[in-house]
PDB file of all heavy atoms in Angstrom:
ATOM      1  N   ASP A   6      -1.604  14.286   1.934  1.00  0.00           N
ATOM      2  CA  ASP A   6      -2.630  15.140   1.345  1.00  0.00           C
ATOM      3  C   ASP A   6      -2.425  16.545   1.912  1.00  0.00           C
ATOM      4  O   ASP A   6      -3.089  16.933   2.875  1.00  0.00           O
ATOM      5  CB  ASP A   6      -3.992  14.566   1.759  1.00  0.00           C
ATOM      6  CG  ASP A   6      -5.148  15.135   0.955  1.00  0.00           C
ATOM      7  OD1 ASP A   6      -4.934  15.532  -0.196  1.00  0.00           O
ATOM      8  OD2 ASP A   6      -6.280  15.151   1.491  1.00  0.00           O
ATOM      9  N   THR A  26      -0.740  14.526  -2.688  1.00  0.00           N
ATOM     10  CA  THR A  26      -1.902  15.084  -3.385  1.00  0.00           C
ATOM     11  C   THR A  26      -2.137  16.489  -2.833  1.00  0.00           C
ATOM     12  O   THR A  26      -2.030  16.711  -1.625  1.00  0.00           O
ATOM     13  CB  THR A  26      -3.175  14.228  -3.166  1.00  0.00           C
ATOM     14  OG1 THR A  26      -3.373  14.012  -1.767  1.00  0.00           O
ATOM     15  CG2 THR A  26      -3.079  12.888  -3.873  1.00  0.00           C
ATOM     16  N   THR A  27      -2.417  17.406  -3.743  1.00  0.00           N
ATOM     17  CA  THR A  27      -2.778  18.759  -3.314  1.00  0.00           C
ATOM     18  C   THR A  27      -4.137  19.080  -3.937  1.00  0.00           C
ATOM     19  O   THR A  27      -4.621  18.339  -4.799  1.00  0.00           O
ATOM     20  CB  THR A  27      -1.763  19.808  -3.814  1.00  0.00           C
ATOM     21  OG1 THR A  27      -1.794  19.816  -5.249  1.00  0.00           O
ATOM     22  CG2 THR A  27      -0.353  19.488  -3.354  1.00  0.00           C
ATOM     23  N   ASN A  28      -4.730  20.152  -3.486  1.00  0.00           N
ATOM     24  CA  ASN A  28      -5.935  20.662  -4.156  1.00  0.00           C
ATOM     25  C   ASN A  28      -5.997  22.167  -3.898  1.00  0.00           C
ATOM     26  O   ASN A  28      -5.218  22.691  -3.079  1.00  0.00           O
ATOM     27  CB  ASN A  28      -7.197  19.895  -3.693  1.00  0.00           C
ATOM     28  CG  ASN A  28      -7.526  20.105  -2.228  1.00  0.00           C
ATOM     29  OD1 ASN A  28      -7.382  21.212  -1.701  1.00  0.00           O
ATOM     30  ND2 ASN A  28      -7.985  19.064  -1.557  1.00  0.00           N
ATOM     31  N   LEU A  31      -6.255  23.156  -0.190  1.00  0.00           N
ATOM     32  CA  LEU A  31      -5.025  22.940   0.596  1.00  0.00           C
ATOM     33  C   LEU A  31      -4.013  24.045   0.285  1.00  0.00           C
ATOM     34  O   LEU A  31      -3.341  24.558   1.192  1.00  0.00           O
ATOM     35  CB  LEU A  31      -4.424  21.560   0.280  1.00  0.00           C
ATOM     36  CG  LEU A  31      -5.227  20.357   0.775  1.00  0.00           C
ATOM     37  CD1 LEU A  31      -4.660  19.047   0.218  1.00  0.00           C
ATOM     38  CD2 LEU A  31      -5.248  20.306   2.306  1.00  0.00           C
ATOM     39  N   GLU A  57      -3.725  20.088  -9.105  1.00  0.00           N
ATOM     40  CA  GLU A  57      -5.099  20.136  -9.646  1.00  0.00           C
ATOM     41  C   GLU A  57      -5.328  21.322 -10.585  1.00  0.00           C
ATOM     42  O   GLU A  57      -4.879  22.440 -10.308  1.00  0.00           O
ATOM     43  CB  GLU A  57      -6.085  20.189  -8.463  1.00  0.00           C
ATOM     44  CG  GLU A  57      -7.525  20.023  -8.881  1.00  0.00           C
ATOM     45  CD  GLU A  57      -8.417  19.576  -7.717  1.00  0.00           C
ATOM     46  OE1 GLU A  57      -7.894  19.069  -6.698  1.00  0.00           O
ATOM     47  OE2 GLU A  57      -9.635  19.739  -7.838  1.00  0.00           O
ATOM     48  N   LYS A  83      -4.398  16.532 -11.711  1.00  0.00           N
ATOM     49  CA  LYS A  83      -5.642  16.180 -11.024  1.00  0.00           C
ATOM     50  C   LYS A  83      -6.813  16.885 -11.719  1.00  0.00           C
ATOM     51  O   LYS A  83      -6.805  18.111 -11.893  1.00  0.00           O
ATOM     52  CB  LYS A  83      -5.520  16.647  -9.568  1.00  0.00           C
ATOM     53  CG  LYS A  83      -6.314  15.845  -8.588  1.00  0.00           C
ATOM     54  CD  LYS A  83      -5.877  16.251  -7.187  1.00  0.00           C
ATOM     55  CE  LYS A  83      -6.682  15.588  -6.129  1.00  0.00           C
ATOM     56  NZ  LYS A  83      -6.429  16.191  -4.815  1.00  0.00           N
ATOM     57  N   ASN A 105      -5.146  12.075 -12.212  1.00  0.00           N
ATOM     58  CA  ASN A 105      -5.825  11.617 -11.001  1.00  0.00           C
ATOM     59  C   ASN A 105      -7.226  12.234 -11.041  1.00  0.00           C
ATOM     60  O   ASN A 105      -7.355  13.461 -10.949  1.00  0.00           O
ATOM     61  CB  ASN A 105      -5.022  12.104  -9.787  1.00  0.00           C
ATOM     62  CG  ASN A 105      -5.725  11.869  -8.467  1.00  0.00           C
ATOM     63  OD1 ASN A 105      -6.838  11.351  -8.426  1.00  0.00           O
ATOM     64  ND2 ASN A 105      -5.075  12.270  -7.381  1.00  0.00           N
ATOM     65  N   THR A 107     -10.455  13.322  -9.513  1.00  0.00           N
ATOM     66  CA  THR A 107     -10.798  13.658  -8.140  1.00  0.00           C
ATOM     67  C   THR A 107     -12.298  13.936  -7.994  1.00  0.00           C
ATOM     68  O   THR A 107     -13.009  14.052  -8.985  1.00  0.00           O
ATOM     69  CB  THR A 107      -9.947  14.875  -7.680  1.00  0.00           C
ATOM     70  OG1 THR A 107     -10.143  15.067  -6.280  1.00  0.00           O
ATOM     71  CG2 THR A 107     -10.314  16.160  -8.421  1.00  0.00           C
ATOM     72  N   SER A 127      -9.823   9.066  -7.261  1.00  0.00           N
ATOM     73  CA  SER A 127      -9.826   9.472  -5.855  1.00  0.00           C
ATOM     74  C   SER A 127     -11.244   9.521  -5.288  1.00  0.00           C
ATOM     75  O   SER A 127     -11.916  10.565  -5.360  1.00  0.00           O
ATOM     76  CB  SER A 127      -9.183  10.855  -5.692  1.00  0.00           C
ATOM     77  OG  SER A 127      -7.801  10.784  -5.922  1.00  0.00           O
ATOM     78  N   PHE A 129     -13.714  10.063  -2.317  1.00  0.00           N
ATOM     79  CA  PHE A 129     -13.596  10.864  -1.087  1.00  0.00           C
ATOM     80  C   PHE A 129     -14.430  10.206   0.010  1.00  0.00           C
ATOM     81  O   PHE A 129     -15.610  10.514   0.187  1.00  0.00           O
ATOM     82  CB  PHE A 129     -14.136  12.278  -1.357  1.00  0.00           C
ATOM     83  CG  PHE A 129     -13.154  13.221  -2.005  1.00  0.00           C
ATOM     84  CD1 PHE A 129     -12.200  12.773  -2.907  1.00  0.00           C
ATOM     85  CD2 PHE A 129     -13.197  14.588  -1.719  1.00  0.00           C
ATOM     86  CE1 PHE A 129     -11.301  13.653  -3.511  1.00  0.00           C
ATOM     87  CE2 PHE A 129     -12.305  15.477  -2.304  1.00  0.00           C
ATOM     88  CZ  PHE A 129     -11.370  15.011  -3.198  1.00  0.00           C
ATOM     89  N   GLY A 131     -14.301  10.245   3.452  1.00  0.00           N
ATOM     90  CA  GLY A 131     -14.716  11.014   4.639  1.00  0.00           C
ATOM     91  C   GLY A 131     -15.936  11.871   4.338  1.00  0.00           C
ATOM     92  O   GLY A 131     -16.851  11.986   5.151  1.00  0.00           O
ATOM     93  N   ARG A 132     -15.948  12.468   3.147  1.00  0.00           N
ATOM     94  CA  ARG A 132     -17.095  13.332   2.805  1.00  0.00           C
ATOM     95  C   ARG A 132     -18.359  12.498   2.637  1.00  0.00           C
ATOM     96  O   ARG A 132     -19.461  12.974   2.937  1.00  0.00           O
ATOM     97  CB  ARG A 132     -16.796  14.132   1.534  1.00  0.00           C
ATOM     98  CG  ARG A 132     -15.699  15.151   1.754  1.00  0.00           C
ATOM     99  CD  ARG A 132     -15.609  16.149   0.626  1.00  0.00           C
ATOM    100  NE  ARG A 132     -14.334  16.858   0.699  1.00  0.00           N
ATOM    101  CZ  ARG A 132     -13.993  17.850  -0.094  1.00  0.00           C
ATOM    102  NH1 ARG A 132     -14.826  18.264  -1.037  1.00  0.00           N
ATOM    103  NH2 ARG A 132     -12.826  18.436   0.029  1.00  0.00           N
ATOM    104  N   ASP A 135     -19.497  11.765   6.132  1.00  0.00           N
ATOM    105  CA  ASP A 135     -20.126  12.986   6.667  1.00  0.00           C
ATOM    106  C   ASP A 135     -21.554  13.133   6.149  1.00  0.00           C
ATOM    107  O   ASP A 135     -22.405  13.751   6.784  1.00  0.00           O
ATOM    108  CB  ASP A 135     -19.356  14.251   6.224  1.00  0.00           C
ATOM    109  CG  ASP A 135     -17.970  14.327   6.833  1.00  0.00           C
ATOM    110  OD1 ASP A 135     -17.693  13.592   7.799  1.00  0.00           O
ATOM    111  OD2 ASP A 135     -17.141  15.123   6.327  1.00  0.00           O
ATOM    112  N   LEU A 161      -7.132   5.413  -5.238  1.00  0.00           N
ATOM    113  CA  LEU A 161      -6.448   6.300  -4.292  1.00  0.00           C
ATOM    114  C   LEU A 161      -7.502   6.772  -3.275  1.00  0.00           C
ATOM    115  O   LEU A 161      -8.379   7.575  -3.611  1.00  0.00           O
ATOM    116  CB  LEU A 161      -5.845   7.473  -5.074  1.00  0.00           C
ATOM    117  CG  LEU A 161      -4.863   8.412  -4.387  1.00  0.00           C
ATOM    118  CD1 LEU A 161      -4.113   9.236  -5.423  1.00  0.00           C
ATOM    119  CD2 LEU A 161      -5.499   9.328  -3.384  1.00  0.00           C
ATOM    120  N   VAL A 162      -7.423   6.246  -2.088  1.00  0.00           N
ATOM    121  CA  VAL A 162      -8.437   6.546  -1.062  1.00  0.00           C
ATOM    122  C   VAL A 162      -8.181   7.952  -0.521  1.00  0.00           C
ATOM    123  O   VAL A 162      -7.119   8.226   0.055  1.00  0.00           O
ATOM    124  CB  VAL A 162      -8.377   5.506   0.074  1.00  0.00           C
ATOM    125  CG1 VAL A 162      -9.435   5.810   1.130  1.00  0.00           C
ATOM    126  CG2 VAL A 162      -8.553   4.097  -0.484  1.00  0.00           C
ATOM    127  N   ALA A 163      -9.158   8.834  -0.712  1.00  0.00           N
ATOM    128  CA  ALA A 163      -8.988  10.245  -0.331  1.00  0.00           C
ATOM    129  C   ALA A 163     -10.026  10.649   0.713  1.00  0.00           C
ATOM    130  O   ALA A 163     -10.951   9.891   1.000  1.00  0.00           O
ATOM    131  CB  ALA A 163      -9.117  11.122  -1.569  1.00  0.00           C
ATOM    132  N   SER A 164      -9.811  11.843   1.266  1.00  0.00           N
ATOM    133  CA  SER A 164     -10.696  12.372   2.322  1.00  0.00           C
ATOM    134  C   SER A 164     -10.708  11.401   3.508  1.00  0.00           C
ATOM    135  O   SER A 164     -11.760  11.038   4.023  1.00  0.00           O
ATOM    136  CB  SER A 164     -12.105  12.597   1.738  1.00  0.00           C
ATOM    137  OG  SER A 164     -12.959  13.183   2.659  1.00  0.00           O
ATOM    138  N   VAL A 165      -9.504  11.039   3.911  1.00  0.00           N
ATOM    139  CA  VAL A 165      -9.327  10.096   5.028  1.00  0.00           C
ATOM    140  C   VAL A 165      -9.402  10.888   6.334  1.00  0.00           C
ATOM    141  O   VAL A 165      -8.822  11.965   6.446  1.00  0.00           O
ATOM    142  CB  VAL A 165      -7.951   9.388   4.870  1.00  0.00           C
ATOM    143  CG1 VAL A 165      -7.569   8.636   6.116  1.00  0.00           C
ATOM    144  CG2 VAL A 165      -7.991   8.462   3.659  1.00  0.00           C
ATOM    145  N   ARG A 166     -10.138  10.347   7.302  1.00  0.00           N
ATOM    146  CA  ARG A 166     -10.386  11.121   8.526  1.00  0.00           C
ATOM    147  C   ARG A 166      -9.725  10.560   9.777  1.00  0.00           C
ATOM    148  O   ARG A 166      -9.622  11.242  10.781  1.00  0.00           O
ATOM    149  CB  ARG A 166     -11.893  11.198   8.808  1.00  0.00           C
ATOM    150  CG  ARG A 166     -12.708  11.878   7.749  1.00  0.00           C
ATOM    151  CD  ARG A 166     -12.776  13.372   7.989  1.00  0.00           C
ATOM    152  NE  ARG A 166     -13.816  13.966   7.186  1.00  0.00           N
ATOM    153  CZ  ARG A 166     -13.601  14.562   6.019  1.00  0.00           C
ATOM    154  NH1 ARG A 166     -12.388  14.654   5.535  1.00  0.00           N
ATOM    155  NH2 ARG A 166     -14.609  15.085   5.348  1.00  0.00           N
ATOM    156  N   THR A 183      -4.266   8.621   0.702  1.00  0.00           N
ATOM    157  CA  THR A 183      -3.649   9.937   0.862  1.00  0.00           C
ATOM    158  C   THR A 183      -4.139  10.543   2.175  1.00  0.00           C
ATOM    159  O   THR A 183      -5.339  10.567   2.451  1.00  0.00           O
ATOM    160  CB  THR A 183      -3.895  10.858  -0.353  1.00  0.00           C
ATOM    161  OG1 THR A 183      -3.083  12.027  -0.180  1.00  0.00           O
ATOM    162  CG2 THR A 183      -5.349  11.251  -0.571  1.00  0.00           C
ATOM    163  N   PRO A 185      -3.949  13.416   5.506  1.00  0.00           N
ATOM    164  CA  PRO A 185      -3.483  14.657   6.135  1.00  0.00           C
ATOM    165  C   PRO A 185      -2.345  14.308   7.103  1.00  0.00           C
ATOM    166  O   PRO A 185      -2.331  13.206   7.673  1.00  0.00           O
ATOM    167  CB  PRO A 185      -4.719  15.148   6.903  1.00  0.00           C
ATOM    168  CG  PRO A 185      -5.878  14.403   6.334  1.00  0.00           C
ATOM    169  CD  PRO A 185      -5.348  13.110   5.814  1.00  0.00           C
TER     170      PRO A 185
HETATM  171  C1  E4P B 301      -7.735  14.278  -2.216  1.00  0.00           C
HETATM  172  O1  E4P B 301      -6.961  14.289  -3.137  1.00  0.00           O
HETATM  173  C2  E4P B 301      -8.274  15.480  -1.559  1.00  0.00           C
HETATM  174  O2  E4P B 301      -7.260  16.463  -1.578  1.00  0.00           O
HETATM  175  C3  E4P B 301      -8.630  15.276  -0.114  1.00  0.00           C
HETATM  176  O3  E4P B 301      -8.395  13.958   0.322  1.00  0.00           O
HETATM  177  C4  E4P B 301      -9.952  15.850   0.292  1.00  0.00           C
HETATM  178  O4  E4P B 301     -10.140  15.622   1.668  1.00  0.00           O
HETATM  179  P1  E4P B 301     -11.172  16.447   2.564  1.00  0.00           P
HETATM  180  O5  E4P B 301     -12.528  15.860   2.369  1.00  0.00           O
HETATM  181  O6  E4P B 301     -10.671  16.229   3.960  1.00  0.00           O
HETATM  182  O7  E4P B 301     -11.078  17.867   2.132  1.00  0.00           O
END
Side-chain angles (χ1 to χ4, degrees):
D6 194 28
T26 52
T27 63
N28 65 39
L31 291 171
E57 189 159 342
K83 208 169 176 191
N105 172 359
T107 189
S127 290
F129 277 33
R132 292 193 196 184
D135 293 345
L161 191 164
V162 180
S164 184
V165 168
R166 298 272 194 263
T183 189

